[in-house]
Amino acid sequence: MPENTEKKKVIFSGIQPTGVFTLGNYIGAIRNWGPLQDEYDCIYSIVDMHALTVKRDPVKFRQQTLEAYALILACGIDPVKSIAFIQSHNPSHAQLNWILACATQFGELSRMTQFKDKSKKHPDDVNAGLFTYPVLMAADILTYNADLVPIGADQKQHLELARNIAVRFNQRFGDTFVIPEPYIPSFGASVKSLQDPTKKMSKSDENPNACIYILDDKDTIIRKFKRAVTDSDAEVRYADGKDGINNLMTIYSCVTGKDMHEIESDFSCKGYGDFKLAVGEAVADHLEPVRTRFAELMNDKAYLKECYTDGAQRAFKLSNKIVTKVYRKVGFVDYR
Ligand code: ATP
Ligand code: LTN
């Protein structure tokens, strides 16, 4: 049989090392990364440079970055099949960032809702990095000519900007970048806070009861679900205006594979208390192997180092080709 020489599509995604990942990060993003590894050439990064847009304690930050790396492996990223690396280890991202910044308009960046939200949240530190963050995200993606970018719904606007930057660059300098497509799960793309189901669940929420961290133990997970804000109705039913219950049903469906009708009929004679307990147990059981694997990995720092060093070298090999091409296109003098 002739060998299939067709090139696989390239996938790139990143996550910030800003704390233990939440169930939102897991359901909306990382759990979808693993199953893509056979069909695509996958590149996954711990985007530590992005995390610097908010003030951090350097010692804690270094530890969180290592933990975030171990966590993506614990969630099923195979560092041989995929390229798994830490963003600051590959200089291509910063190099391309500058060129792309010069092809991005101030007005475009001013419209980014994440910038507006985060500058409100940290009014004492509205730094330039926070403003230009989406350009670095575009560089992350375009420096590998990624075809697809798995993300949660909140990142759609940033991806749209990356596409616009790529199109503009191609128009000015000739075909250079692939125009990336978002890859947003049809279900679970926006897991909500357990304390305010109109807001997304976020790692940096000050209220620890608002999110499930994927390393929380079973008792903690059950306790947080028991306290989850719902409505005054008592029927487990997916419907408009029942944001809290809709969120719990979505989570339950994602970890058990049951659809909404099955869930409604399973809990038709039961109240919210029983349902919350079932969600807590299902989530805790689902996350148990991640916790175990994470602990093993954190006990083997030499292995982790081997993986992220190899990942960065493989990533650089790919991205440097694109950076070299871009340098030539914009008219930098070739020195090699
Ligand atoms: P932070 O709170 O520090 O800004 P975050 O929790 O929003 O971080 P990121 O590192 O910015 O997480 O995002 C990593 C990935 O997780 C992105 O693809 C993002 O779209 C996805 N994601 C984040 N929160 C959710 C959520 N609540 N539901 C679904 N996907 C999410
Ligand atoms: N901006 C994203 C994280 C991120 C990312 C990326 C996601 C940085 N670079 C490239 C996909 C592709 C966030 O804040 N969630």
Side-chain angles (χ1 to χ4, degrees):
M1 218 163 83
E3 216 183 310
N4 183 7
T5 49
E6 213 174 276
K7 205 177 156 290
K8 284 185 184 171
K9 286 196 169 178
V10 175
I11 286 217
F12 180 91
S13 199
I15 185 157
Q16 301 185 67
T18 42
V20 174
F21 303 157
T22 67
L23 190 59
N25 300 133
Y26 180 76
I27 289 178
I30 310 166
R31 104 185 154 125
N32 309 311
W33 293 3
L36 299 167
Q37 296 177 112
D38 290 320
E39 206 182 323
Y40 299 95
D41 282 332
C42 296
I43 306 163
Y44 295 124
S45 183
I46 301 303
V47 288
D48 52 348
M49 287 157 68
H50 280 88
L52 262 195
T53 52
V54 171
K55 280 186 197 145
R56 313 223 161 259
D57 168 60
V59 174
K60 206 168 142 203
F61 183 36
R62 189 170 292 118
Q63 178 68 14
Q64 281 179 330
T65 303
L66 201 61
E67 287 177 1
Y69 188 82
L71 267 179
I72 61 167
L73 300 198
C75 289
I77 304 311
D78 176 340
V80 176
K81 260 190 215 166
S82 295
I83 295 180
F85 74 106
I86 296 170
Q87 184 188 29
S88 62
H89 292 174
N90 180 0
S92 300
H93 297 244
Q95 289 174 312
L96 190 58
N97 174 58
W98 181 253
I99 313 253
L100 299 184
C102 299
T104 308
Q105 298 302 306
F106 180 85
E108 288 180 296
L109 291 174
S110 311
R111 286 195 285 277
M112 296 294 117
T113 52
Q114 184 172 303
F115 169 70
K116 292 185 203 162
D117 292 347
K118 291 211 171 177
S119 43
K120 258 190 226 140
K121 222 169 145 190
H122 306 277
D124 57 325
D125 187 24
V126 184
N127 62 76
L130 196 64
F131 187 65
T132 60
Y133 172 115
V135 180
L136 181 58
M137 178 162 161
D140 296 340
I141 298 164
L142 301 183
T143 200
Y144 301 99
N145 263 338
D147 298 281
L148 286 175
V149 184
I151 40 170
D154 61 313
Q155 294 302 311
K156 212 175 155 204
Q157 194 186 31
H158 288 165
L159 193 86
E160 200 52 45
L161 179 69
R163 287 167 56 87
N164 291 341
I165 296 173
V167 168
R168 188 173 308 141
F169 190 97
N170 287 352
Q171 280 166 352
R172 254 175 90 181
F173 299 104
D175 249 9
T176 311
F177 296 122
V178 168
I179 312 302
E181 296 284 342
Y183 190 93
I184 299 175
S186 48
F187 208 62
S190 187
V191 175
K192 305 297 181 197
S193 153
L194 298 186
Q195 292 300 311
D196 177 358
T198 59
K199 264 180 29 190
K200 76 159 197 168
M201 186 181 281
S202 163
K203 273 191 238 105
S204 2
D205 203 310
E206 311 84 55
N207 181 353
N209 287 324
C211 37
I212 304 292
Y213 297 106
I214 65 174
L215 296 176
D216 279 347
D217 61 33
K218 189 165 186 166
D219 288 348
T220 308
I221 293 178
I222 291 175
R223 181 173 43 77
K224 288 182 181 176
F225 276 113
K226 272 190 185 157
R227 290 191 187 166
V229 170
T230 45
D231 49 71
S232 54
D233 185 19
E235 212 184 330
V236 178
R237 188 170 45 89
Y238 196 93
D240 280 351
K242 286 167 74 76
D243 296 337
I245 279 297
N246 293 349
N247 188 38
L248 297 188
M249 287 178 77
T250 304
I251 293 172
Y252 189 66
S253 168
C254 287
V255 296
T256 60
K258 292 187 179 180
D259 66 26
M260 294 306 174
H261 292 302
E262 265 177 292
I263 301 174
E264 284 172 2
S265 81
D266 285 358
F267 290 90
S268 62
C269 301
K270 296 181 183 150
Y272 285 175
D274 287 336
F275 180 55
K276 287 178 175 179
L277 180 64
V279 181
E281 283 181 338
V283 168
D285 293 346
H286 184 90
L287 292 176
E288 183 58 37
V290 173
R291 250 170 32 106
T292 309
R293 182 69 187 130
F294 173 78
E296 286 166 6
L297 286 163
M298 286 307 286
N299 271 328
D300 195 350
K301 303 263 169 31
Y303 172 71
L304 285 179
K305 189 170 184 183
E306 220 175 88
C307 293
Y308 61 69
T309 307
D310 176 64
Q313 285 166 354
R314 286 164 61 204
F316 179 72
K317 250 195 191 159
L318 297 176
S319 59
N320 193 44
K321 280 193 198 132
I322 310 239
V323 169
T324 305
K325 186 172 172 187
V326 168
Y327 272 25
R328 200 172 306 125
K329 292 241 177 182
V330 299
F332 285 164
V333 173
D334 194 356
Y335 65 94
R336 283 175 210 90

